[in-house]
DNA sequence: CAACCATAACTGCGACTCTC
DNA sequence: GAGAGTCGCAGTTATGGTTG
């Protein structure tokens, strides 16, 4: 459906966040949360319009490591038609030039003319320059809502967000304002700031969960909650009164991954946190997160992170110490196990 | 740690039902 | 009748436990 139609079909707006190694999880989370909130808060009159479809991509796809060591799964840029991108945010490590290749630069050049907003954050700003492109922002041409975006920008400063991340967030709010209205954008800005970083650790799936149907959202929540135990697809399907076949199909369609993959990622994320935050042995962490045994945990870590759990623990603790994040109390010692 | 194997999960396809 | 949603079957693939 192209512009001018008066039908009530939902208009999907593809928002793409292009990630580079060392990106800020907090910046990504704020952007993701902006559009996720907009989906949840949009005015009832707009209920069938302007539905943001958040995509996380990288040059080649796969796992991208954030500055805090958390791995985020991405699709390759190739899998997204450049002309379908409504807004593009490129996130790289602060003050570190990102690596790019001609394929990525070409995709950026094709995307730029179609996207309403193109913003680079941190080192990713340079990739736009390499492609011979400039940042785009709807706020530049939009004179009707200056107060809101100015207010949001000052709020980002209050919340301790650096300048270009604040500008990207302001751009995101401008997009929401133009697509969903001033009220919705205002409410998003209000709900978003100030925020705490831990809100964003789950935003990868949260954005999709938020716009999933009630049944699938409920199911995803139940899977997340019961991820420490053995989870059967048959039981999960039965819990939401669906056939297994239909449950699998709809879950993947709405959340983006199969239920098994969803539970696996939740478990791995918990295991990563426990490895860094506690001194528990890998085998115990595996049992507590539902990943079975230490052997199985090691196998999964090698498969997904290309290292063993203990290597990950050492690496992440060193990284946090180097970044000055391992303040007293951040790395907690586990309670002595009760035997 | 690798290999093996039973089981569970996933997917493609055709058929059925329901609504418009 | 067309299209969307759902279901069941069968074949393939992935997972996880066990063994050496």
């Amino acid at each position: 459906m192209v512009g001018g139609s008066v039908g009530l079909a939902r208009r999907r707006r593809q928002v793409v966040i292009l990630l580079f190694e060392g990106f800020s999880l907090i910046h990504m989370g704020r952007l993701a949360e902006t559009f996720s909130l907009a989906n949840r808060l949009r005015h009832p009159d707009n209920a069938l319009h302007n539905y943001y479809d958040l995509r996380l991509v990288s040059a080649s796809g796969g796992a991208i490591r954030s500055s805090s060591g958390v791995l985020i799964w991405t699709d390759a840029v190739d899998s997204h038609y450049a002309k379908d991108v409504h807004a593009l945010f490129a996130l790289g490590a602060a003050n570190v030039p990102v690596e790019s290749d001609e394929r990525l630069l070409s995709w950026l050049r094709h995307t730029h003319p179609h996207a309403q907003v193109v913003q680079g954050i941190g080192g990713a700003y340079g990739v736009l320059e390499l492609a011979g492109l400039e940042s785009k922002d709807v706020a530049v041409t939009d004179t009707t809502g200056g107060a809101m975006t100015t207010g949001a920008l000052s709020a980002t400063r209050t919340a301790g967000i650096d300048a270009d991340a604040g500008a990207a967030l302001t751009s995101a709010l401008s997009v929401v304002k133009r697509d969903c209205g001033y009220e919705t954008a205002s409410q998003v800005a209000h709900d978003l700031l100030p925020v705490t970083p831990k809100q964003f650790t789950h935003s990868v799936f949260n954005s999709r969960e938020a716009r999933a149907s009630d049944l699938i959202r409920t199911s995803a929540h139940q899977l997340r909650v019961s991820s420490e135990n053995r989870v059967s697809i048959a039981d999960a399907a039965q819990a939401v009164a669906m056939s297994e076949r239909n449950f699998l199909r709809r879950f993947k369609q709405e959340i983006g991954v199969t239920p098994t993959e969803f539970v696996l990622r939740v478990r791995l994320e918990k295991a990563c946190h426990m490895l860094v935050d506690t001194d528990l042995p890998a085998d115990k962490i595996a049992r507590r997160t539902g990943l079975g045994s230490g052997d199985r945990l090691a196998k999964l870590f090698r498969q997904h992170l290309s290292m063993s759990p203990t290597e990950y623990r050492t690496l992440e603790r060193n990284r946090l110490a180097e970044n000055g994040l391992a303040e007293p109390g951040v790395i907690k010692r586990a309670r002595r196990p009760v035997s």
Side-chain angles (χ1 to χ4, degrees), chain A residues 200-275:
Chain A
F200 300 114
T201 56
H202 293 111
S203 55
V204 181
F205 286 126
N206 271 0
S207 67
R208 298 200 76 144
E209 282 180 61
R211 58 180 193 267
S213 64
D214 286 348
L215 285 178
I216 296 299
R217 195 166 55 238
T218 302
S219 183
H221 176 70
Q222 284 173 353
L223 289 176
R224 200 188 280 286
V225 169
S226 56
S227 65
E228 291 160 23
N229 308 313
R230 189 171 172 76
V231 180
S232 118
I233 297 300
D235 291 345
Q238 199 174 20
V240 288
M242 282 189 201
S243 68
E244 278 185 53
R245 178 73 191 92
N246 198 34
F247 173 69
L248 288 167
R249 191 179 57 83
R250 282 187 55 183
F251 195 96
K252 183 160 187 187
Q253 199 174 53
E254 296 184 32
I255 303 296
V257 294
T258 62
T260 308
E261 179 71 14
F262 178 85
V263 170
L264 177 65
R265 291 196 202 176
V266 169
R267 285 171 173 168
L268 276 175
E269 188 179 316
K270 281 182 188 174
C272 286
H273 283 300
M274 286 178 80
L275 280 166

Side-chain angles (χ1 to χ4, degrees), chain A residues 15 17 26-36 54 89 91 121 165 168-169 172 192 200:
Chain A
V15 175
I17 302 182
I26 295 176
H27 292 165
M28 185 206 79
R30 284 191 175 112
L31 287 169
E33 201 67 13
T34 298
F35 293 103
S36 172
L54 186 68
F89 299 92
L91 270 65
I121 302 172
L169 189 54
L192 201 60
F200 300 114

Side-chain angles (χ1 to χ4, degrees), chain A residues 128-309:
Chain A
L128 294 180
E129 288 183 337
L130 271 175
L133 305 169
E134 291 184 348
S135 295
K136 283 168 84 173
D137 184 359
V138 296
V140 172
T141 53
D142 179 1
T143 57
T144 60
M148 193 275 294
T149 48
T150 305
L153 188 55
S154 88
T156 61
R157 289 188 189 117
T158 310
I161 301 171
D162 58 61
D164 56 356
L169 189 54
T170 304
S171 293
L173 286 168
S174 300
V175 171
V176 172
K177 183 180 74 62
R178 205 185 57 176
D179 293 342
C180 307
Y182 179 87
E183 264 184 52
T184 301
S186 243
Q187 188 63 46
V188 169
H190 178 265
D191 286 4
L192 201 60
L193 303 164
V195 290
T196 56
K198 69 177 181 182
Q199 272 181 277
F200 300 114
T201 56
H202 293 111
S203 55
V204 181
F205 286 126
N206 271 0
S207 67
R208 298 200 76 144
E209 282 180 61
R211 58 180 193 267
S213 64
D214 286 348
L215 285 178
I216 296 299
R217 195 166 55 238
T218 302
S219 183
H221 176 70
Q222 284 173 353
L223 289 176
R224 200 188 280 286
V225 169
S226 56
S227 65
E228 291 160 23
N229 308 313
R230 189 171 172 76
V231 180
S232 118
I233 297 300
D235 291 345
Q238 199 174 20
V240 288
M242 282 189 201
S243 68
E244 278 185 53
R245 178 73 191 92
N246 198 34
F247 173 69
L248 288 167
R249 191 179 57 83
R250 282 187 55 183
F251 195 96
K252 183 160 187 187
Q253 199 174 53
E254 296 184 32
I255 303 296
V257 294
T258 62
T260 308
E261 179 71 14
F262 178 85
V263 170
L264 177 65
R265 291 196 202 176
V266 169
R267 285 171 173 168
L268 276 175
E269 188 179 316
K270 281 182 188 174
C272 286
H273 283 300
M274 286 178 80
L275 280 166
V276 178
D277 292 346
T278 76
D279 286 334
L280 288 169
D283 188 67
K284 198 150 270 186
I285 289 175
R287 291 174 203 285
R288 290 193 183 181
T289 52
L291 284 168
S293 63
D295 275 359
R296 170 95 183 113
L297 183 68
K299 205 173 179 178
L300 285 167
F301 260 69
R302 207 158 291 285
Q303 197 177 347
H304 291 266
L305 309 176
S306 305
M307 66 178 89
S308 72

